[in-house]
Amino acid sequence: MRTAPTILHLDMDAFFASAEQASKPSLRGKAVVVGGLGPRGVVATASYEARVFGVHSAMPMAQARRLAPNAAYLVPRFAFYRSISEQVMELLRALSPLVEPLSLDEAFVDLEAQGTAWDADSARRAGVRLRADIRAVTGLTGSVGLAASKMLAKIASERAKPDGLVLIEPGTERALLGPLSVRTLPGVGPATGDHLRRAGIHTVAELAEAGEDELVRLLGKAHGHALYAMALAHDERPVVAEREAKSVSVEDTYDVDIHDRLRVGLEVRRLADRCVRRLRASGLSGRTIVLKVRRYDFSTLTRSETLRGPTDDPAVVREAAARLLDSVDTTGGVRLLGVGVTGLADYTQEDLFAQAAGAREDGHLEEPSDEPSEERPDPAAERRWPAGHDVRHAEYGHGWVQGSGLGRVTVRFETPDSGPGRIRTFRVEDPALEPADPLPLVRRRPGEPGEPGEPGEPGGPGEPAGPDGQSSREPDGGAAARAAGAVPG
């Protein structure tokens, strides 16, 4: 069992919202909510300023608007967030070959694998340097937890938020875990938590006191044994560099229930094509086609069909999904549809064309467009301007959409390294206004200070590890960010 705190957990702070604030000077220090803006949209991320009003992720957007009516509500820019995530993951891989991404903004790192850290002091120095490098490269902040296991490292990063570092010293783990809720432990969701609560078990200390036999009786052998070990601060799960995908899927939630059966069929076809594009982009194929339907009354049905072998053929997936839809009653309306593929493989069965029940006799398979169908302009609304997305005007330059409606679009013209910009309103069909790519959050000229780990900069050789306490914070934003010109001091 590992005793040195050399497992690092990084969690970027309010990632989507922080990225939006960094790219939009007028939103810095203000409440920002990112998510679906339709009637059934949900919050993806809320800035810390918005959380003061009670807004949190997974909350219905309508409820968020009631709690924080004056916040900025923006449509996600996933390609932009992914590009920042790639920069962060590259910094993590410079620390160790064992990096286990959990999402765009979260990952575990085994610092011992490359000799980056071997004890508490070296681990703390690595964490301090990482935080400074992330700020210098992206202009954003991340919280770091360091411990002897993945479970404890994640708990430490939660305690470090926002913009901090917490290291759990060896020998203090049981005292730290004891008073925490059982929901803190991996594998304890709402159902298990309620089951334990009814048995009088609320904290991790009470979980340990209950004993392994009692937990096995309550939860079953595998789950009871695992939770008892974790209650004693034992977590032997390794950091896994490559997490094998178990499925590829796409789904859409509709603002208005779909009642027309033909429209439902067209949506399933479109989702099947999107799913295949994701399969091919990952170099994968799959054997089992899955259809998910959430009806008007929130009942959710799942249907699946297993083929003779793996495929990435759009016609095969489309027609399998259509056959599955035939077995589902959608009379009352549909609010969500999804198509997925499981049983993944890195090869394709060559003769699966015959599995497409309605395959054309000439053997020609229609290839899907390279462009995701959800991003194609709607002929009925060719000029759509999602709130928060980037635009460029022939006269005024780069800006972002504050809002649109009634044939008008309002744009604030500013860039990540400018001050708050001016607002102007245009007709939605104004030919001088075009969608644009996001600008980088940090711009650096060759030889400019702020390169990660550069001597003389925070995180470089000689960087102090911070005080001997449990946390290390930079409340002023850090010199690395100021050197890079990324975030106001």
Side-chain angles (χ1 to χ4, degrees), residues 328-403:
V328 178
D329 180 10
T330 62
T331 306
V334 170
R335 59 183 291 122
L336 177 147
L337 290 168
V339 174
V341 178
T342 65
L344 301 183
D346 57 3
Y347 67 95
T348 302
Q349 187 95 355
E350 295 296 339
D351 64 350
L352 282 177
F353 178 77
Q355 295 186 23
R360 291 184 295 275
E361 293 183 1
D362 61 6
H364 175 70
L365 294 182
E366 179 182 354
E367 288 293 328
S369 164
D370 289 334
E371 290 297 318
S373 58
E374 68 271 26
E375 295 180 2
R376 290 190 196 127
D378 182 346
E382 295 236 347
R383 303 282 282 180
R384 294 183 61 199
W385 304 105
H389 282 224
D390 299 84
V391 295
R392 175 167 291 279
H393 191 275
E395 179 180 354
Y396 301 110
H398 191 93
W400 59 277
V401 176
Q402 282 208 315

Side-chain angles (χ1 to χ4, degrees), residues 39-371:
R40 291 178 177 162
V42 297
V43 175
T45 308
S47 70
Y48 288 101
E49 295 85 354
R51 296 180 192 187
V52 171
F53 298 98
V55 180
H56 57 78
S57 61
M59 171 181 286
M61 191 62 74
Q63 182 181 355
R65 288 185 184 276
R66 290 193 295 271
L67 293 172
N70 296 319
Y73 289 86
L74 308 177
V75 175
R77 298 184 291 165
F78 288 112
F80 176 52
Y81 310 145
R82 193 172 294 110
S83 68
I84 300 172
S85 174
E86 289 170 356
Q87 293 178 301
V88 173
M89 296 302 165
E90 185 177 346
L91 292 174
L92 296 182
R93 293 186 182 99
L95 292 176
S96 170
L98 291 183
V99 176
E100 182 178 336
L102 303 179
S103 63
L104 289 177
D105 61 339
E106 186 180 2
F108 287 109
V109 184
D110 187 335
L111 298 176
E112 203 171 42
Q114 192 166 286
T116 301
W118 51 92
D119 60 10
D121 288 341
S122 57
R124 188 187 298 278
R125 286 195 298 270
V128 169
R129 174 172 178 165
L130 173 65
R131 292 180 58 240
D133 286 352
I134 289 173
R135 190 186 278 275
V137 169
T138 70
L140 304 180
T141 65
S143 296
V144 167
L146 292 157
S149 69
K150 291 168 70 172
M151 174 186 70
L152 292 167
K154 184 171 176 63
I155 291 172
S157 70
E158 286 294 322
R159 295 168 71 89
K161 283 189 168 293
D163 191 19
L165 181 153
V166 166
L167 183 148
I168 298 178
E169 296 282 356
T172 66
E173 297 92 346
R174 292 285 300 275
L176 171 72
L177 283 176
L180 300 181
S181 165
V182 292
R183 290 290 306 276
T184 305
L185 300 182
V188 182
T192 302
D194 287 344
H195 192 52
L196 291 171
R197 178 179 52 79
R198 288 193 294 271
I201 300 173
H202 302 85
T203 68
V204 176
E206 291 171 344
L207 199 65
E209 290 170 5
E212 185 172 5
D213 291 343
E214 176 65 8
L215 295 181
V216 167
R217 186 186 68 80
L218 288 170
L219 305 172
K221 185 174 181 180
H223 202 184
H225 175 76
L227 282 188
Y228 181 68
M230 289 183 179
L232 299 180
H234 299 159
D235 177 17
E236 300 297 330
R237 294 175 302 159
V239 175
V240 181
E242 296 295 333
R243 296 172 62 88
E244 184 177 352
K246 296 182 179 179
S247 65
V248 173
S249 63
V250 296
E251 62 182 43
D252 277 345
T253 300
Y254 304 100
D255 293 340
V256 178
D257 290 347
I258 303 175
H259 292 83
D260 179 31
R261 183 73 177 188
L262 177 61
R263 166 83 189 284
V264 173
L266 290 173
E267 288 295 315
V268 167
R269 180 185 179 92
R270 183 177 64 82
L271 290 166
D273 284 347
R274 281 172 55 192
C275 185
V276 168
R277 279 195 291 275
R278 290 194 179 182
L279 269 179
R280 290 182 168 183
S282 301
L284 297 171
S285 60
R287 191 177 180 204
T288 300
I289 315 303
V290 180
L291 176 71
K292 178 180 177 181
V293 179
R294 181 167 297 149
R295 298 188 292 191
Y296 69 98
D297 58 358
F298 286 88
S299 62
T300 302
L301 304 177
T302 302
R303 300 286 186 268
S304 64
E305 176 181 322
T306 298
L307 308 175
R308 291 197 303 270
T311 184
D312 65 354
D313 189 318
V316 173
V317 176
R318 279 198 300 263
E319 295 188 24
R323 288 194 297 273
L324 294 171
L325 179 62
D326 288 341
S327 67
V328 178
D329 180 10
T330 62
T331 306
V334 170
R335 59 183 291 122
L336 177 147
L337 290 168
V339 174
V341 178
T342 65
L344 301 183
D346 57 3
Y347 67 95
T348 302
Q349 187 95 355
E350 295 296 339
D351 64 350
L352 282 177
F353 178 77
Q355 295 186 23
R360 291 184 295 275
E361 293 183 1
D362 61 6
H364 175 70
L365 294 182
E366 179 182 354
E367 288 293 328
S369 164
D370 289 334
E371 290 297 318

